[in-house]
Amino acid sequence: MMTITPIAHFCSPLKDKFGIPRQSGIVDELRGRIVFEPEWRNADAIRGIEGFDYLWLIWSFSKNVDAAKHALVRPPRLGGNEYMGVFATRSSFRPNNLALSSVRMVGIEHLPDVGTTILVSGADLMDGTPIYDIKPYIPAYDSHPEARGGFTDSHEWHPLDVSDPSSLLMSLPAADASAIRHLLAQDPRPSYHKDPERIYGMPYGTHDIRFKVADGVAVIMEIR
């Protein structure tokens, strides 16, 4: 039996599971920060990491700890209607709640209150997520462009178009507006939700992005 404890936690504008990208790397504009726990707030722990462009994060689906786990799951890529073995998917409902993500390193920043932090982009982690380990991504060993992708090879994901008829995103910083557009394009709704009149709320930073989806278009209705 092994006991592991977090070495860091993740800071993100995404405060809830709703809206989290389905995979890392999909929304490159989405920025986040790795903040180390006190015992690892030592610059020596990441000495040399600036030489790598990407990092592997090993983290926990912390909101699913008490959720039921099953051998069969229904991947969103398959419309939520077909079953696959949990180990043949990236379902967030896993026996040990562990996850693996590749993120792009943006830079290293020292903050007076939390010490040395790592800025990354493209993460699929929500705010407060515990991180158990960080390892460098090495292209020579970690990239396999010729590899088969199982059911993902034959079931392409079709992003939504995003409409902002009232130009509500113009009130936000350009980087945040771009990230929100890409998050909505990935259709954060549960795969079984099809009601074109239903309005959803996606928390982003201090804002609540209200939208609905009809005919393949996510329409921004309000930003609270």
Side-chain angles (χ1 to χ4, degrees):
M1 179 70 67
M2 179 178 66
T3 300
I4 59 174
T5 57
I7 53 94
H9 65 273
F10 197 71
C11 293
S12 167
L14 298 176
K15 310 297 183 181
D16 187 80
K17 290 192 299 182
F18 189 87
I20 298 292
R22 301 183 189 278
Q23 304 289 340
S24 61
I26 293 178
V27 183
D28 187 65
E29 299 91 339
L30 184 61
R31 298 293 179 91
R33 184 186 302 272
I34 298 170
V35 177
F36 289 93
E37 299 303 322
E39 65 181 297
W40 293 107
R41 290 176 187 173
N42 185 335
D44 285 343
I46 60 170
R47 183 185 300 177
I49 204 169
E50 68 278 357
F52 297 91
D53 286 331
Y54 288 84
L55 303 173
W56 288 112
L57 304 183
I58 300 173
W59 51 280
S60 169
F61 291 110
S62 53
K63 294 297 184 181
N64 293 347
V65 171
D66 297 324
K69 310 300 193 303
H70 303 284
L72 292 174
V73 298
R74 295 182 292 179
R77 179 68 71 92
L78 298 178
N81 299 316
E82 296 182 45
Y83 285 95
M84 287 285 172
V86 64
F87 301 126
T89 75
R90 295 188 175 184
S91 169
S92 59
F93 298 95
R94 315 195 69 77
N96 289 306
N97 304 299
L98 291 177
L100 178 69
S101 294
S102 173
V103 299
R104 183 169 65 87
M105 191 170 70
V106 176
I108 298 170
E109 189 172 64
H110 184 86
L111 301 179
D113 54 339
V114 294
T116 301
T117 66
I118 302 176
L119 300 177
V120 302
S121 69
D124 53 346
L125 288 70
M126 67 177 286
D127 188 60
T129 295
I131 298 173
Y132 292 107
D133 206 351
I134 300 170
K135 295 185 178 184
Y137 176 98
I138 303 176
Y141 309 123
D142 296 343
S143 178
H144 304 283
E146 75 289 351
R148 295 183 300 155
F151 63 85
T152 66
D153 286 341
S154 56
H155 292 77
E156 184 179 356
W157 184 266
H158 298 285
L160 301 174
D161 291 326
V162 178
S163 173
D164 181 20
S166 300
S167 300
L168 298 173
L169 292 177
M170 293 289 289
S171 64
L172 303 180
D176 288 332
S178 180
I180 290 168
R181 282 186 174 275
H182 281 87
L183 289 169
L184 294 179
Q186 295 305 311
D187 196 352
R189 302 173 303 161
S191 56
Y192 53 86
H193 282 200
K194 304 297 183 184
D195 184 356
E197 297 303 318
R198 179 168 179 170
I199 296 178
Y200 299 85
M202 183 182 74
Y204 184 91
T206 59
H207 299 89
D208 184 22
I209 314 301
R210 312 289 289 182
F211 71 98
K212 64 181 182 179
V213 178
D215 299 324
V217 180
V219 182
I220 299 174
M221 308 297 293
E222 183 182 7
I223 297 181
R224 296 180 179 176

